[in-house]
Amino acid sequence: MARTAVSGRLAWRVARLAEIRDETPTARTLVFDLPGWPGHLAGQHVDVRLTAADGYRAQRSYSLAAPANGDRVELTIQRVADGEVSEHLTGPYAIGDPIEIRGPIGGWFAWHPQNPEPVLLIAGGSGIVPLMAMIRARRAAGVRTPFKLIYSLRTPAEQYYADELRTPVAGLDITYVYTRELPEGRPGIPRRIDVATLNTAAWPAEFGATTFICGPTAFVETAADILLALGHDPHQIRTERFGPSRD
Amino acid sequence: MGVVTPGFQGRARSGNPRLPPGQYLAEDFPVLSAGPTPRVRTETWEFAVTTEKGDKHTWSWAELMALPSEKPTVDIHCVTQWSKLDTRWRGVAIDTLVGGLDTEADYVLVHSYGGYTTNLPLADLLDGQAWIAYEYDGKPLTPEHGGPARLLVPHLYFWKSAKWVRGLELKTRDEPGFWENVGYHDYGDPWREQRYQGD
């Protein structure tokens, strides 16, 4: 297990919103100017802190959506119904507004461009965010590490980064799984990720791929269980989960 | 006070004295783990306490079940900001497992099936503060919540309550575990918001 160098207290830094890109009707990418940012690995996250005029604070963790790029940091925020922080960040939060950010945090669910092993990315819904940072890091580093992405989403309209992912990239295979509604003209019926999906679209177990799975708990449990059943090494599978559990 | 974000008002302040700073109440029970959920069979389950001198004491599942159990009802606090109040567990107090051991250790490295580790001061596991828990809410602990058995240390952030626990390694020197090695706080007191190293 690699030790990530952390020196001293993680400092809160003041960031300002520089750019907004709407991804879906309920999710937006926020690009911040964050002077003094030390850089990060794809897959790491940050803590974000909002302070109200009366001093009340709310803090949440968000995955970084893009690799390190100087003082620019990107997050993609999905609006959660009644989400105290996400409702502000996907609503009234405007260009030039300040926010506090600290990080980077987490050195486990992270991909280093110098890693030669093939990579399998499995995203459920907004779980695509840290995985997209890895795809972008691969491109930014100019490496040819073979990547496969399996992206499960309810409907085509809920896809993040649609234009960017539509552009073919050598060495990046993408498989979409739609659970509620298929794109127009695509044959078949909506279904969830299953043994057939992973048997067909994932790397064979013996390739020793590093696998990153991010999504709702039940989705991550299902995908990881199937990979284990297909013979994948549990130590090569890294997971990040969000949302409620099944029970 | 931090930098004010214009227009941010936040939710109605709960003022609940049982919520540590920065935490919000969760009604569900979120799951966080670093890898796949290990499926550990009670037939082959074994729990070991190893002292700093190398003495190893082991319990099978049947032997654990034969020990006196307790039913703590406790509040739990995750470093990702959710807290859950009045969670009901059943398990064996750590005092019962290490109480009679000959040890001068001050620290514990907890080991889990699947390879996870976390470190704590031994004193934080004693005097009725920690359990090997095998029931949640009156039912056997499910694998995704750490079943068949997990450590339960409710007064620290919940990453210290290692799921799929398989043993305690008593040590005279502190040694960081899995998350502590990647920048999380060595101790993890939610009331002091000890999330990351240096907090």
Side-chain angles (χ1 to χ4, degrees):
Chain A
M1 227 162 282
R3 172 182 272 271
T4 304
V6 177
S7 53
R9 190 175 202 279
L10 277 177
W12 287 104
R13 300 169 199 275
V14 178
R16 285 181 191 277
L17 184 61
E19 195 184 320
I20 294 173
R21 293 198 297 269
D22 284 329
E23 300 291 347
T24 73
T26 58
R28 77 175 27 163
T29 294
L30 305 178
V31 184
F32 299 92
D33 271 327
L34 185 43
W37 183 247
H40 60 271
L41 290 170
Q44 288 191 293
H45 64 273
V46 294
D47 279 1
V48 168
R49 182 162 79 182
L50 290 173
T51 303
D54 66 356
Y56 172 80
R57 283 170 168 171
Q59 183 179 320
R60 295 291 182 272
S61 294
Y62 290 106
S63 292
L64 290 150
N69 175 24
D71 289 346
R72 281 284 167 111
V73 159
E74 289 190 33
L75 308 178
T76 303
I77 315 273
Q78 167 76 44
R79 184 157 67 234
V80 178
D82 201 30
E84 181 185 32
V85 171
S86 69
E87 280 190 350
H88 186 79
L89 293 180
T90 55
Y93 188 59
I95 300 290
D97 281 356
I99 197 172
E100 287 175 291
I101 293 180
R102 72 170 178 165
I105 297 156
W108 173 246
F109 195 85
W111 181 69
H112 305 246
Q114 65 267 35
N115 283 5
E117 299 87 30
V119 171
L120 173 61
L121 307 174
I122 304 180
S126 59
I128 185 67
V129 176
L131 308 184
M132 192 65 191
M134 296 179 191
I135 290 170
R136 289 166 166 170
R138 175 187 184 273
R139 187 181 59 212
V143 296
R144 297 182 172 193
T145 318
F147 266 44
K148 285 177 183 280
L149 167 66
I150 302 170
Y151 186 0
S152 171
L153 56 170
R154 280 184 289 206
T155 70
E158 290 179 37
Q159 186 182 344
Y160 292 7
Y161 320 120
D163 289 342
E164 193 176 338
L165 288 174
R166 201 174 291 127
T167 310
V169 177
L172 168 65
D173 291 338
I174 306 178
T175 302
Y176 293 95
V177 176
Y178 299 95
T179 61
R180 299 266 176 88
E181 181 192 319
L182 299 177
E184 241 180 79
R186 177 166 157 152
I189 53 167
R191 61 189 173 81
R192 293 181 176 278
I193 198 163
D194 57 12
V195 176
T197 316
L198 289 175
N199 203 26
T200 309
W203 299 104
E206 61 270 24
F207 280 31
T210 307
T211 299
F212 296 92
I213 312 176
C214 185
T217 297
F219 174 85
V220 172
E221 288 286 311
T222 301
D225 284 352
I226 293 171
L227 289 177
L228 294 182
L230 291 173
H232 287 248
D233 177 358
H235 298 105
Q236 292 281 74
I237 301 172
R238 301 178 181 210
T239 60
E240 199 155 86
R241 305 152 204 249
F242 52 79
S245 67
R246 279 178 289 199
D247 35 310
Chain B
M1 187 166 112
V3 176
V4 171
T5 299
F8 177 66
Q9 300 187 330
R11 204 173 269 162
R13 322 303 196 243
S14 80
N16 188 331
R18 287 165 65 185
L19 269 188
Q23 298 291 110
Y24 64 88
L25 276 182
E27 296 304 322
D28 53 26
F29 193 166
V31 171
L32 284 106
S33 353
T37 296
R39 310 284 156 174
V40 187
R41 295 160 55 87
T42 53
E43 292 88 336
T44 53
W45 184 89
E46 184 181 81
F47 181 78
V49 175
T50 311
T51 71
E52 74 277 17
K53 299 182 194 79
D55 297 332
K56 190 174 173 186
H57 305 260
T58 63
W59 291 264
S60 68
W61 187 257
E63 287 165 341
L64 184 82
M65 292 300 114
L67 292 173
S69 67
E70 297 179 1
K71 288 187 168 181
T73 296
V74 296
D75 300 347
I76 57 177
H77 312 291
C78 178
V79 70
T80 62
Q81 256 93 26
W82 58 265
S83 289
K84 202 166 165 59
L85 305 184
D86 295 320
T87 59
R88 295 167 48 233
W89 305 79
R90 182 176 176 199
V92 175
I94 301 296
D95 302 282
T96 305
L97 297 166
V98 308
L101 297 186
D102 175 23
T103 179
E104 287 171 17
D106 286 325
Y107 301 97
V108 175
L109 190 62
V110 185
H111 293 268
S112 295
Y113 289 93
Y116 181 79
T117 56
T118 190
N119 59 311
L120 307 103
L122 177 57
D124 282 83
L125 297 182
L126 301 178
D127 301 323
Q129 295 184 91
W131 298 265
I132 300 298
Y134 51 81
E135 278 182 19
Y136 174 74
D137 219 9
K139 297 189 204 80
L141 193 57
T142 57
E144 66 194 58
H145 288 304
R150 76 180 296 163
L151 185 64
L152 175 64
V153 195
H155 69 284
L156 298 177
Y157 279 128
F158 217 45
W159 88 79
K160 298 284 182 180
S161 292
K163 296 174 180 177
W164 316 296
V165 69
R166 72 180 301 170
L168 307 179
E169 187 184 353
L170 307 186
K171 300 176 90 73
T172 51
R173 288 177 51 196
D174 194 17
E175 181 184 319
F178 180 87
W179 289 121
E180 295 83 7
N181 255 320
V182 291
Y184 281 75
H185 198 274
D186 198 59
Y187 184 65
D189 181 347
W191 295 94
R192 289 189 280 166
E193 291 199 80
Q194 293 174 335
R195 301 176 190 283
Y196 312 117
Q197 282 175 38
D199 276 356

